[in-house]
Amino acid sequence: MISNFKTRRMYVTILLCLLLFLSAHTTAFAFGKGAKGPDVYAVQGMLKSLGYFNGSISGYYGPATVLGVKLFQKAYGLPVTGVMDDKTLESLLWAYGNAKLPPKPAPKPGPQTGPTPAPAPSKPGPQTGPTPAPAPSKPGPQAGPTPAPAPSKPGPQAGPTPAPAPSKPGPQAGPIPAPAPSKPPGPQTSPTPAPAPHKPGPQAGPTPAPAPSKPGPQTGPTPAPTPAPEPAPIPLIPGELSSEERQMVELINQARKDAGLAPLIVNAELSKTARMKSRDMADHNYFSHQSPTYGSPLELIKKFGISYASAEENIACNQTVMAAQLALMNSSSQRANILSKDFTEIGVGIADGGSCGKMFTQQFIRK
């Protein structure tokens, strides 16, 4: 049942994208090397998401873009020309939409991390076990096995000590608790007491605390410079936008910049009405400028006390911001609103739901 619904939803999405594309172009559509503009910007973004483009998303159709288009055409059985024609664009929209649909197998890494930490603690457990053995032997003559520093000072003393040292820890490892008291009273304690007082002296030496002080200053300077570079890409009137809404505003202003126009300023109140319109279309399953709840776009804007000299609205039904913006730019009337010199402010609202997956509303005004 669910798979049938997903299949039906995918085909509806493809048909809508094709209808939007074909409605905007009555003649053949193609662009290639040397082209510039938001169309190239959107194509580069989709190719990069699918892994066919490794260059920077600049909006310029250069050699890297030609190579990415050729790789995509070859992978999808299209004529390998390096030119973004009608069929290549349709296939790219379809592939990008499907690639964005199933990102739900992410919970797999969860169980993989579960089993690995279990053996990790078990290994350090036994390794730390043997090291505490010399700790109880420090009061007795067992301080002898620690003369690792001793061989460096007197060369000849290092020779005799290592031979007995391995023989003593061998038996101690097996019966650590019981034989520990039996060995101190033995005759072996008499020869060792002389070096024992000399060795605790150097043992106090390895405890210098300056070692941990070194990592302290290293961590201090490094995090400070990283958060510094954070540019504000677009001018905002106080208000909140989702990450997808912000992305759509950036794409709109990038298209306007490429056309030599000033960027639009985000109007927080206008974004609220745009979001309400998208939510209304998703909830009532319609796609139209005329809302059964709020009426026309102008009536909706007036209802919330937003003053304007002129206003327009763009709407889209799609799965991703990039695909929706590309479809709007390929529609002559919607593109005219985006690149109009008359508008100065914009509100963008995106809502999940509807037949395509997401509903998009762009509202433009001039005060």
Side-chain angles (χ1 to χ4, degrees), residues 103-279:
K104 293 185 179 178
K108 287 182 182 176
Q112 289 177 358
T113 55
T116 50
S122 64
K123 290 176 183 176
Q127 288 174 359
T128 55
T131 52
S137 65
K138 286 179 184 175
Q142 295 171 355
T146 57
S152 63
K153 294 176 184 176
Q157 288 178 359
T161 49
S167 63
K168 290 175 185 178
Q172 287 170 3
I176 299 167
S182 63
K183 288 180 183 175
Q188 295 173 355
T189 56
S190 56
T192 50
H198 297 287
K199 290 171 185 177
Q203 286 174 359
T207 57
S213 66
K214 292 178 183 176
Q218 289 176 356
T219 55
T222 47
T226 46
E230 286 184 3
I234 53 173
L236 295 177
I237 291 175
E240 292 184 0
L241 290 178
S242 69
S243 59
E244 287 185 322
E245 290 167 349
R246 184 179 291 270
Q247 181 189 3
M248 179 161 271
V249 172
E250 289 174 353
L251 290 173
I252 291 169
N253 280 337
Q254 181 62 45
R256 289 178 66 86
K257 180 181 177 183
D258 293 341
L261 300 171
L264 296 174
I265 297 175
V266 176
N267 184 314
E269 292 302 315
L270 199 60
S271 291
K272 286 181 184 177
T273 59
R275 202 174 294 122
M276 291 170 66
K277 176 63 178 289
S278 294
R279 183 76 268 155

Side-chain angles (χ1 to χ4, degrees), residues 13-343:
T13 302
I14 295 168
L15 286 172
L16 281 171
C17 289
L18 289 173
L19 286 172
L20 284 169
F21 180 81
L22 293 174
S23 66
H25 295 277
T26 56
T27 61
F29 168 86
F31 57 91
K33 188 173 181 179
K36 291 173 64 177
D39 293 344
V40 180
Y41 188 87
V43 166
Q44 286 174 336
M46 288 188 285
L47 286 172
K48 190 153 194 163
S49 298
L50 295 169
Y52 294 100
F53 178 67
N54 293 326
S56 60
I57 300 175
S58 61
Y60 175 71
Y61 204 114
T65 309
V66 172
L67 177 60
V69 173
K70 283 183 177 180
L71 291 173
F72 177 81
Q73 289 171 332
K74 185 177 180 181
Y76 282 80
L78 298 167
V80 181
T81 61
V83 175
M84 183 55 60
D85 52 30
D86 289 346
K87 289 193 176 179
T88 303
L89 181 60
E90 291 171 10
S91 299
L92 182 58
L93 286 169
W94 180 86
Y96 183 80
N98 282 348
K100 293 293 178 180
L101 266 178
K104 293 185 179 178
K108 287 182 182 176
Q112 289 177 358
T113 55
T116 50
S122 64
K123 290 176 183 176
Q127 288 174 359
T128 55
T131 52
S137 65
K138 286 179 184 175
Q142 295 171 355
T146 57
S152 63
K153 294 176 184 176
Q157 288 178 359
T161 49
S167 63
K168 290 175 185 178
Q172 287 170 3
I176 299 167
S182 63
K183 288 180 183 175
Q188 295 173 355
T189 56
S190 56
T192 50
H198 297 287
K199 290 171 185 177
Q203 286 174 359
T207 57
S213 66
K214 292 178 183 176
Q218 289 176 356
T219 55
T222 47
T226 46
E230 286 184 3
I234 53 173
L236 295 177
I237 291 175
E240 292 184 0
L241 290 178
S242 69
S243 59
E244 287 185 322
E245 290 167 349
R246 184 179 291 270
Q247 181 189 3
M248 179 161 271
V249 172
E250 289 174 353
L251 290 173
I252 291 169
N253 280 337
Q254 181 62 45
R256 289 178 66 86
K257 180 181 177 183
D258 293 341
L261 300 171
L264 296 174
I265 297 175
V266 176
N267 184 314
E269 292 302 315
L270 199 60
S271 291
K272 286 181 184 177
T273 59
R275 202 174 294 122
M276 291 170 66
K277 176 63 178 289
S278 294
R279 183 76 268 155
D280 190 57
M281 287 192 293
D283 290 344
H284 295 91
N285 198 25
Y286 73 92
F287 183 69
S288 171
H289 291 290
Q290 190 70 23
S291 164
T293 308
Y294 304 111
S296 70
L298 300 183
E299 289 172 336
L300 171 60
I301 294 172
K302 283 180 182 176
K303 228 174 238 185
F304 288 86
I306 301 172
S307 60
Y308 62 89
S310 61
E312 283 293 346
E313 179 183 78
N314 287 350
I315 56 174
C317 175
N318 220 304
Q319 294 178 356
T320 65
V321 173
M322 186 72 75
Q325 183 64 15
L326 182 61
L328 290 170
M329 290 297 290
N330 284 331
S331 167
S332 57
S333 59
Q334 316 271 23
R335 183 189 182 99
N337 290 336
I338 292 171
L339 301 180
S340 173
K341 297 178 183 178
D342 297 333
F343 299 126

